[in-house]
Amino acid sequence: MRRTDDDGDEPFGLDVFRDGDPDVGQRALARQIHRRRAGGEEPREQDRGRSWSSHQKRLLESPPILAVLRAAPPPNSVLGFRKNADDPAKQSWLDRLRRGLKKTGSQLSGLFGGTTVDEQLFEELEAALISADAGLDATQKLLERLRVRARKERVESPQALKAALAVELAALLAPLERPFEVAGHRPFVIMVAGVNGAGKTTSIGKLAKWLQEQGLSVLLAAGDTFRAAAREQLAAWGERNRVAVISQEGGDPAAVIFDAIQAARARGIDAVIADTAGRLPTQLHLMEELKKIKRVITKADPTAPHAVWAVLDANTGQNALSQVKAFDEALGLTGLILTKLDGTAKGGVVAAIACARPVPLVFIGVGEGIDDLRPFAAGDFARALLD
């Protein structure tokens, strides 16, 4: 049921519901105050008397753009994840990583049940690695190192060879491991790109949560103005994480991100995560749009963006490597996020990236839970893959 106040405007307060949305009242108040301020009017006396937190007041002092305010968390279905079957707080990250990599790891771990190390075992390993989309170059390099270690250490049992493989795989992936720290700039601007359906917006929401756990304040910029539901999806994440989302209906994505950086600077926010529209690297006009966004970010802050990341879907296998090359050439990537490792047997693409285009793998996602996005650690990854 929709109600209006005395002058026909939308109503105020959380007691208002439209289509089951309990936070429409606060949004309505924000829109009215922006509308009146834009028209040169002062807020009405009854508006002044309303109870607002200092955080909400700061949001309302920004230019007439959409600012998502604090509200009850939306349903998990809106955010695109479900709760883990077990309490995530009771699970170690290595356990979750092991379960997430089960589909890829099952191709490898099952090869070590025999009693002897022979040429057939190495051939089976080669086939399994290629099947997992590790790529020919990474597979050959890994097996060459493994053979050298096996001879040097006189490895005779398959289990000992498995342990040696974990060591060599960790060494191969080590160039991808680089600690991520928000430091030296405020706000620290992270520009996020990727193809459609890679999990970009969901990863941004989870990343915001992770940054908050490090004691940092976060602001999200809804720079994906092409996909119909992108703004609403990011707004839902903002509400769940209790962070502001800067957005404009049908606005220029570069302008939205520019405004977000200005707002973050005025409010003393530690980090800005800028979403961008999903695009294929073959869509040259859209890749040029990405370059424009990066230039505009630099106008807002000459040192920004401080991080430029591409989100990759592990299900795409070797195609993910092609995406890394294309986005790196267009933007100069400083990091990667690899998602959906739990849903694919192609997790070997991490080795292909390490061998062919070692852009740091900053975060990996191994599930749909909000805590299933964590920093990449080569040793943990190798152990979980082969356990």
Side-chain angles (χ1 to χ4, degrees), residues 117-269:
V117 174
D118 53 20
E119 188 59 30
Q120 182 179 352
L121 178 55
F122 279 98
E123 290 177 358
E124 291 173 349
L125 267 176
E126 181 179 24
L129 287 166
I130 292 175
S131 178
D133 266 18
L136 187 59
D137 290 343
T139 297
Q140 291 178 342
K141 180 179 291 188
L142 184 59
L143 290 181
E144 182 180 336
R145 293 179 178 180
L146 183 61
R147 289 176 185 274
V148 171
R149 178 176 288 272
R151 287 194 298 268
K152 182 179 179 181
E153 298 182 358
R154 301 181 186 277
V155 173
E156 297 179 355
S157 72
Q159 286 302 313
L161 187 69
K162 180 180 177 181
L165 176 60
V167 173
E168 291 299 336
L169 180 58
L172 182 70
L173 301 180
L176 299 183
E177 182 180 341
R178 187 175 301 175
F180 171 65
E181 184 179 3
V182 174
H185 304 279
R186 194 178 190 193
F188 189 95
V189 181
I190 304 171
M191 178 181 174
V192 182
V195 303
N196 294 309
K200 184 165 44 63
T201 304
T202 298
S203 295
I204 288 173
K206 294 179 181 181
L207 174 61
K209 173 70 173 177
W210 185 86
L211 290 172
Q212 286 180 309
E213 290 174 349
Q214 314 310 306
L216 301 170
S217 56
V218 183
L219 184 143
L220 305 181
D224 185 352
T225 59
F226 293 97
R227 185 164 63 92
R231 189 175 63 252
E232 288 76 12
Q233 186 183 2
L234 199 64
W237 276 108
E239 291 172 4
R240 182 173 184 87
N241 291 326
R242 302 292 194 267
V243 301
V245 176
I246 303 301
S247 170
Q248 292 178 358
E249 290 189 24
D252 177 69
V256 172
I257 297 172
F258 183 92
D259 286 344
I261 295 172
Q262 298 292 349
R265 182 182 292 115
R267 300 169 195 174
I269 299 294

Side-chain angles (χ1 to χ4, degrees), residues 65-108:
I65 52 183
L66 172 65
V68 177
L69 307 180
R70 295 184 65 172
N76 288 340
S77 59
V78 175
L79 300 173
F81 71 88
R82 61 174 180 266
K83 292 184 178 179
N84 291 325
D86 301 314
D87 183 5
K90 297 179 181 178
Q91 303 173 37
S92 73
W93 167 243
L94 190 59
D95 289 338
R96 280 185 281 159
L97 183 59
R98 190 178 293 112
R99 283 195 297 274
L101 295 174
K102 185 176 181 180
K103 288 187 177 180
T104 300
S106 62
Q107 301 180 74
L108 298 170

Side-chain angles (χ1 to χ4, degrees), residues 295-311:
R295 290 194 301 268
V296 171
I297 290 175
T298 302
K299 289 181 179 179
D301 180 347
T303 66
H306 308 109
V308 182
W309 295 350
V311 177

Side-chain angles (χ1 to χ4, degrees), residues 297-356:
I297 290 175
T298 302
K299 289 181 179 179
D301 180 347
T303 66
H306 308 109
V308 182
W309 295 350
V311 177
L312 309 171
D313 180 353
N315 287 285
T316 61
Q318 283 288 306
N319 191 41
L321 178 58
S322 301
Q323 294 171 26
V324 173
K325 293 178 179 178
F327 282 109
D328 191 26
E329 290 170 1
L331 300 172
L333 294 177
T334 64
L336 304 172
I337 298 177
L338 187 62
T339 66
K340 307 179 186 180
L341 277 165
D342 58 312
T344 181
K346 300 179 179 180
V349 69
V350 176
I353 293 172
C355 189

